[in-house]
Amino acid sequence: MKRDTKRTTVFTRRALLIAGVEVAALGALAAKLYQVQVIDGRRYALLAHTNRISPRLLAPPRGRILDRDGTPVAANQTNWRALLMVEQTRDIAATLDRFATLVPLADHERARIEREIGRHRRFIPVTLRDFLDWEEMARIEVNAPDLPGVSIDVGATRRYPFDDSLAHVVGYVAPPSEDDQGDDPILALPGMRVGRAGIEKFHEAVLRGHAGVQQLEVNAAGRVIRELDRQDGTPGAELGLTIDSALQQAVLSRLGDESASAVVLDARNGEVLAMATNPSFDPALFNAGVSQAQWVEWTNSRRTPLINKAVAGLYAPGSTFKMTVALAGLEARSLTPTDRINCPGHLDIGDTRFHCWRRGGHGLLDLRGGLKNSCDVFFYEVARRTGIDTIAAMAKRLGLGVKLDIELPEARSGLVPTRAWRRAHGHPWNLGDTIVHGIGQGFLQLTPLQLATMAARLATGRAVQPHLTRSIDGVAQPGATADFWPSLGLPEASLDHVREGMWAVVNEPGGTAPLARLAGPQQLAGKTGSTQVRRVSREAREHGFKSENLPWEFRPHALFVAFAPYDAPQYAVSVVVEHGNAGAAAAAPMARDIMAATLERDPSNRAPPPGPRLAQGPKLP
Amino acid sequence: MMERRLLREPEQGWTAKLWQISWGYVLLLCLLAAVGYVALYAAGNGPDAYANRQALRFAVALGLMLAIALIDIRLIARLAWPLYGVGLALLVLVLRYGHVGKGAQRWLEIGGLQLQPSELMKIFLVLALAHWFHRAAWERVGNPLFLLPPALAILLPMALILKEPNLGTALITGMVGASVLLAAGVRLWKFALLAVLAGIAAPLAYHHLHDYQRARITTFLHPETDPLGAGYNIIQSKIALGSGGLWGAGFQQVSQSQLNLLPERQTDFIFTILAEQFGLVGGVCVIALLGMIVLGGFAVALRCTHPFGRLVALGIATNFCLYALVNIAMVMGAIPVGGVPLPLVSHGGSAMLTTMIGFGILMSVHVHRDVEFPDQRD
């Protein structure tokens, strides 16, 4: 019993000790609370009531886009603008009225401002006016006491140094729409833009960057007292393109006034060196907002300036498809390089007569001669022997009618028909359909980029994919070397027969495109094409039909594909001139000059490999 | 022998037991819950966001508490070690099958999902330790071999909770266990030795802490270094407390905490809202109320005639007190943020339930304070 008493005594003593410690600790808390709330409280209360800490998001600078030499093709320039902090103004309408007396606001501007005020959270400022000049800024600053919540801010706006010459490739940015803003709160910030087309749209996530945060101490009147803390955002990544902007300008100017497009590829690795579409537009116009009149003009134009014809223009390839048909025949062994086919000027299938472009016919031709003379009957016959599905499979191997890995959201995949495709549309496939596809007509719909890709693959035998991104933030992107790309798996002998035919087209007397011959020692191999956009009746054909006499929109398209130098191919070119009549006359000289300019600039051998920027300043020993 | 003694005791009816419950103490708990209701009303700008749901939870938990209060404390004692086993199993399950969220998400979820087994574990640990020392003769308490099992019983759940990882709760678990050992009569110099060992181990342990835990300690030492990151909550909380002043901004008055500037305001930082709106006066009243509840627990302990009940009541009261201390010290920036809620006030069902289970057992000790409960083996 004594032991128990002892035990109880110890427990009581220690329980009281523990309780004492705990109560003391609670008392200490109360004392600390006194310190925080009353002694230090005045300081904190000031922070809370008069000097609010107001966090502000900082828009990250959008990543620049450079060409392969490091020349900016999309950059940022400073933009002085007036902002309104909605939570700092009591009477929004009165403030806007006063602002309008200093800097006139059009009705549609005011409507936009009111819409944004309703949409944004109250601590996100709304842009009242972009691109202020000095005089306007001075007027606003002088009247600042009458304009609660209005501040002048420096932001960045997108600048395109090459104006319209790279508009289709680089694309453009525009203010975000309400749909965009669900993605990322920083889009609500003034001055934020999102890519709407081209590279700007495709690489939006890379270019945008991440917002920073600024902690501002703001007094009761909303005036910023000081910056307490600043975490700069992460700027968007810098993109290096494969484009040679000087070459691009040369190509665009060579297209002249034609509604046309041209693509220059490095045939060995698929780098797009130039991709020109004419007519073009000024991408900077989208930044501020396109006027209604401008928009109507663009969208109503038959020459479709807003469409990147190089990747979204669809054309029947015409005779430029004949290499594909030949390779399909060689692969299927329905054609040998030495097979000779007689061209009497037409081919009769059932009671339908298919004409050769040359009324008298070409007589006996082998593959080389068929390509050189672009004989239609020869390829009617090859197509008949080979069949459409085999031809379509070869076309897809060469990059035709498939989705290419180009970094342009506008790119279309076109169409290379098959029996199954025709059946799915509720029609049988007729032999006559196969015949016309032998010369690249019929249902075929291809883009100039696909034609250039085909030329590059024919030239190198590798399945190169055209691409525009050379580096992201200085990190080289894969695909810059030829051995990155797998072989097409076509016998080199077959390719050589086709290449030789293309060489003969340009460089042998009697070829269809003598105008494409290069002046210098290097040789170009190519192929013409012209595709009707309207069926020519037999009657017209027999009465000396001349397509030049047609109205512009009914004239055939002119096409040319080429690669050079013939003995060691480096570059591939495709040119499509809308309603340009004959490929040999309209497109071939352009392709020649473009290729000559490319060989002269030799961009793929000139540019240093992309990599991290070298530090500025003298080198250390 | 034991059964015979139990049989000799007059059977207490349910109604008789109900009268034995300390209704004054229940009133204190209801008062604290009412404080929670007011705070959550303010945090949610109305009763719908948090307050009403919490009131419903309290009603359920109160019923559970009263039911537990009527369970014979000797039955609870017999279940002590099995419950301890269940608690360990739950901890292992959480480690094996608990959520794997990382970073900030885990920080939120510690209060909800992960804390539950560890909170129960602390109560079960108190029961197990009390059971161990209940039947210990005074001399045996001095025997190191006799102290080895309870020490392991404390360290095992601590290790599991540490692995979750939840440093704050692991430390509270250790302190609760230590308080029971202290009250059971373990010599003071042994605690002193332990403290020295812990002092040596702390720098070593720091190296094994998770990055986020180190960030908390760094932020605690220099909250201004990271005003938008980990230090943001503490700075905003301090500003809110300061703006409360002596008398407070007034209930439902515009305040820092209502401007969405204070994250986690309905859970970990609920005390901030109270102290902002009702000032130092209100804050001290809440601390006093917490103190009364703690002291009430100690009163139950001192009034109890059997060692098991005494130790259990002391352990549960200490557990509650540590929770309140850690939470309030945390919102004032006095200790690193630990994701520990303020019991019965913070929004959340799991913490509410475990707290009330604890008080149910405490009340059972009180109801059965005079039952014959032999403390040594024959």
Side-chain angles (χ1 to χ4, degrees):
Chain A
M1 207 61 214
K2 194 189 164 209
R3 285 180 314 197
D4 261 19
T5 318
K6 166 87 175 160
R7 198 173 160 191
T8 315
T9 318
V10 168
F11 176 82
T12 307
R13 214 161 52 209
R14 294 207 172 167
L16 288 174
L17 174 73
I18 295 171
V21 168
E22 287 176 10
V23 168
L26 285 169
L29 272 192
K32 173 81 179 167
L33 193 61
Y34 175 76
Q35 190 204 344
V36 170
Q37 291 209 275
V38 179
I39 299 174
D40 296 345
R42 225 178 295 266
R43 186 158 62 86
Y44 288 120
L46 208 67
L47 283 177
H49 284 300
T50 54
N51 292 5
R52 282 240 185 86
I53 293 180
S54 146
R56 267 189 207 173
L57 288 174
L58 297 171
R62 193 172 175 83
R64 295 194 305 165
I65 305 176
L66 312 175
D67 81 348
R68 67 185 298 123
D69 297 324
T71 312
V73 296
N76 303 312
Q77 81 182 58
T78 50
N79 161 27
W80 296 95
R81 62 196 172 200
L83 301 180
L84 174 66
M85 273 301 243
V86 179
E87 64 178 359
Q88 288 164 12
T89 184
R90 283 202 177 72
D91 188 344
I92 294 166
T95 306
L96 285 180
D97 286 340
R98 270 196 298 274
F99 183 82
T101 61
L102 303 170
V103 181
L105 287 174
D107 284 347
H108 74 266
E109 280 182 287
R110 182 143 184 169
R112 172 193 62 80
I113 291 165
E114 276 159 6
R115 204 167 55 237
E116 285 190 11
I117 288 173
R119 215 165 68 192
H120 290 169
R121 280 179 291 172
R122 290 178 66 80
F123 58 85
I124 290 188
V126 171
T127 307
L128 296 179
R129 173 58 79 80
D130 271 314
F131 312 111
L132 295 171
D133 58 33
W134 280 110
E135 203 181 320
E136 288 169 328
M137 279 163 60
R139 278 204 297 268
I140 294 169
E141 283 293 357
V142 166
N143 291 282
D146 293 337
L147 297 168
V150 175
S151 59
I152 289 183
D153 182 68
V154 58
T157 187
R158 204 65 161 162
R159 189 171 62 90
Y160 298 100
F162 287 86
D163 298 328
D164 58 351
S165 72
L166 271 160
H168 293 109
V169 176
V170 174
Y172 52 84
V173 293
S177 71
E178 265 172 87
D179 292 345
D180 294 321
Q181 292 186 14
D183 310 351
D184 190 341
I186 68 172
L187 290 182
L189 291 175
M192 280 304 284
R193 297 285 185 267
V194 290
R196 280 274 176 266
I199 287 287
E200 292 267 32
K201 181 176 182 182
F202 185 89
H203 280 307
E204 172 64 29
V206 173
L207 290 167
R208 186 186 292 170
H210 298 284
V213 188
Q214 194 181 19
Q215 288 289 86
L216 294 176
E217 194 178 320
V218 180
N219 71 8
R223 183 165 290 277
V224 174
I225 303 296
R226 61 194 159 130
E227 186 181 81
L228 294 175
D229 185 57
R230 185 191 184 96
Q231 288 179 316
D232 283 321
T234 320
E238 199 163 75
L239 281 185
L241 298 187
T242 56
I243 293 283
D244 177 343
S245 53
L247 178 64
Q248 171 84 10
Q249 284 180 309
V251 171
L252 191 66
S253 69
R254 183 60 186 86
L255 296 181
D257 294 331
E258 299 285 357
S259 176
S261 61
V263 176
V264 182
L265 296 182
D266 185 326
R268 295 163 301 180
N269 59 15
E271 288 184 352
V272 181
L273 303 171
M275 179 187 280
T277 293
N278 204 42
S280 188
F281 60 92
D282 181 359
L285 292 177
F286 284 94
N287 205 348
V290 174
S291 74
Q292 188 70 20
Q294 178 71 73
W295 182 256
V296 168
E297 187 197 317
W298 279 339
T299 48
N300 286 352
S301 169
R302 292 181 307 182
R303 288 146 56 91
T304 60
L306 290 182
I307 292 176
N308 184 354
K309 297 190 190 86
V311 295
L314 293 176
Y315 310 94
S319 301
T320 60
F321 194 62
K322 285 173 179 169
M323 288 80 80
T324 307
V325 176
L327 276 175
L330 291 171
E331 185 83 347
R333 304 193 185 284
S334 54
L335 173 75
T336 66
T338 51
D339 274 354
R340 292 163 83 83
I341 294 169
N342 182 40
C343 167
H346 56 82
L347 177 68
D348 291 326
I349 300 287
D351 51 3
T352 315
R353 171 161 290 191
F354 295 90
H355 291 275
C356 188
W357 66 270
R358 188 168 180 184
R359 289 181 76 181
H362 292 95
L364 276 174
L365 290 171
D366 62 1
L367 170 58
R368 190 173 185 280
L371 281 171
K372 174 185 168 188
N373 295 293
S374 196
C375 172
D376 291 339
V377 168
F378 183 91
F379 287 97
Y380 291 149
E381 176 60 19
V382 175
R384 191 188 66 76
R385 293 181 189 175
T386 308
I388 187 64
D389 286 349
T390 310
I391 293 171
M394 179 57 69
K396 286 180 177 160
R397 260 166 107 175
L398 294 173
L400 303 176
V402 292
K403 187 156 175 47
L404 296 169
D405 291 346
I406 190 75
E407 301 95 320
L408 295 171
E410 300 82 14
R412 300 178 67 173
S413 40
L415 173 66
V416 171
T418 57
R419 285 172 189 278
W421 170 83
R422 189 73 177 139
R423 219 174 14 251
H425 285 72
H427 300 281
W429 185 269
N430 299 316
L431 183 54
D433 294 326
T434 305
I435 302 299
V436 296
H437 284 83
I439 61 161
Q441 304 280 356
F443 303 113
L444 282 164
Q445 295 268 281
L446 303 175
T447 66
L449 181 69
Q450 289 175 334
L451 293 174
T453 306
M454 173 195 76
R457 291 186 180 185
L458 287 175
T460 61
R462 288 185 183 272
V464 295
Q465 282 281 356
H467 58 275
L468 283 160
T469 315
R470 198 165 148 83
S471 65
I472 296 178
D473 249 356
V475 179
Q477 298 298 295
T481 53
D483 47 1
F484 176 85
W485 303 101
S487 164
L488 284 172
L490 293 171
E492 198 61 21
S494 304
L495 287 167
D496 274 341
H497 289 298
V498 171
R499 289 171 192 153
E500 202 185 321
M502 290 173 73
W503 175 84
V505 166
V506 179
N507 298 295
E508 210 166 67
T512 52
L515 287 177
R517 201 171 303 165
L518 289 171
Q522 286 165 314
Q523 290 185 318
L524 173 156
K527 184 73 195 77
T528 57
S530 34
T531 60
Q532 291 156 11
V533 293
R534 207 177 72 151
R535 197 180 160 78
V536 180
S537 69
R538 184 187 305 176
E539 196 183 355
R541 190 186 302 277
E542 282 167 6
H543 287 86
F545 163 81
K546 271 215 173 0
S547 58
E548 298 92 77
N549 300 334
L550 285 169
W552 181 77
E553 63 265 40
F554 295 137
R555 292 182 203 159
H557 297 317
L559 295 84
F560 198 81
V561 298
F563 64 85
Y566 172 68
D567 46 6
Q570 290 182 21
Y571 301 108
V573 166
S574 75
V575 175
V576 175
V577 181
E578 287 188 339
H579 312 295
N581 279 323
M590 283 185 188
R592 173 199 65 208
D593 293 343
I594 289 168
M595 187 61 90
T598 309
L599 289 168
E600 190 192 340
R601 288 189 58 79
D602 202 14
S604 65
N605 296 330
R606 167 173 43 83
R613 285 287 167 83
L614 295 173
Q616 300 292 315
K619 272 187 189 163
L620 293 169
Chain B
M1 187 69 182
M2 193 167 165
E3 280 74 11
R4 239 189 308 136
R5 279 195 201 168
L6 279 176
L7 283 173
R8 263 193 272 130
E9 196 180 310
E11 188 67 34
Q12 270 187 309
W14 294 114
T15 40
K17 280 190 177 182
L18 269 177
W19 282 112
Q20 291 297 317
I21 287 177
S22 168
W23 290 102
Y25 199 71
V26 174
L27 190 68
L28 282 180
L29 296 181
C30 290
L31 215 58
L32 186 58
V35 167
Y37 185 87
V38 170
L40 290 172
Y41 190 101
N45 280 324
D48 298 327
Y50 311 112
N52 281 349
R53 255 186 300 162
Q54 184 80 346
L56 190 70
R57 287 198 195 113
F58 179 71
V60 173
L62 187 65
L64 183 69
M65 174 202 154
L66 293 175
I68 293 173
L70 301 181
I71 298 174
D72 195 309
I73 193 67
R74 288 163 294 190
L75 178 62
I76 294 175
R78 240 184 288 167
L79 292 174
W81 284 102
L83 285 173
Y84 178 85
V86 169
L88 275 188
L90 283 175
L91 283 178
V92 172
L93 278 179
V94 159
L95 279 181
R96 290 285 295 275
Y97 303 108
H99 80 109
V100 266
K102 298 278 173 203
Q105 204 142 34
R106 175 207 284 163
W107 193 71
L108 287 175
E109 282 190 47
I110 284 172
L113 223 137
Q114 281 204 329
L115 214 59
Q116 197 168 16
S118 51
E119 280 175 356
L120 274 175
M121 188 65 228
K122 278 179 295 178
I123 295 171
F124 297 159
L125 174 67
V126 167
L127 293 179
L129 291 175
H131 188 263
W132 182 263
F133 287 105
H134 175 71
R135 56 186 182 78
W138 174 241
E139 289 77 13
R140 295 180 71 189
V141 176
N143 182 352
L145 277 179
F146 182 77
L147 290 180
L148 199 60
L152 285 177
I154 297 170
L155 290 175
L156 198 57
M158 270 183 84
L160 288 171
I161 296 168
L162 210 58
K163 212 166 155 86
E164 271 181 17
N166 190 338
L167 181 63
T169 306
L171 287 177
I172 292 180
T173 307
M175 287 166 78
V176 169
S179 76
V180 175
L181 260 56
L182 187 66
V186 176
R187 304 293 184 276
L188 284 170
W189 65 265
K190 285 179 180 146
F191 286 95
L193 184 69
L194 206 66
V196 169
L197 285 177
I200 294 165
L204 291 173
Y206 184 80
H207 285 282
H208 293 284
L209 289 181
H210 281 251
D211 284 344
Y212 83 96
Q213 289 169 327
R214 281 193 214 179
R216 276 184 192 161
I217 292 173
T218 318
T219 308
F220 160 62
L221 295 173
H222 311 284
E224 291 77 18
T225 52
D226 189 13
L228 284 170
Y232 179 84
N233 286 0
I234 290 178
I235 290 179
Q236 293 300 331
S237 177
K238 275 185 165 179
I239 291 173
L241 288 172
S243 75
L246 186 61
W247 295 103
F251 181 53
Q252 284 273 287
Q253 291 305 300
V254 168
S255 62
Q256 290 284 303
S257 38
Q258 279 178 344
L259 285 172
N260 288 343
L261 288 175
L262 184 64
E264 296 292 307
R265 61 189 189 283
Q266 80 278 15
T267 55
D268 292 356
F269 285 87
I270 193 76
F271 183 81
T272 305
I273 290 191
L274 284 170
E276 181 184 22
Q277 303 206 331
F278 302 105
L280 176 68
V281 175
V284 169
C285 284
V286 173
I287 292 176
L289 181 58
L290 293 167
M292 283 162 81
I293 291 172
V294 172
L295 287 180
F298 277 92
V300 169
L302 292 170
R303 173 70 187 75
C304 183
T305 56
H306 43 84
F308 179 78
R310 289 199 296 254
L311 293 172
V312 164
L314 180 133
I316 288 170
T318 299
N319 182 27
F320 176 83
C321 184
L322 285 174
Y323 253 76
L325 280 172
V326 167
N327 176 271
I328 297 174
M330 169 184 86
V331 302
M332 293 192 304
I335 60 165
V337 176
V340 172
L342 186 59
L344 300 191
V345 181
S346 285
H347 186 252
S350 137
M352 163 83 77
L353 209 63
T354 42
T355 308
M356 290 303 273
I357 288 173
F359 281 125
I361 296 170
L362 181 83
M363 206 40 67
S364 170
V365 169
H366 184 67
V367 170
H368 305 92
R369 57 191 178 273
D370 290 326
V371 294
E372 268 193 69
F373 193 175
D375 54 15
Q376 278 163 50
R377 283 187 176 165
D378 295 297

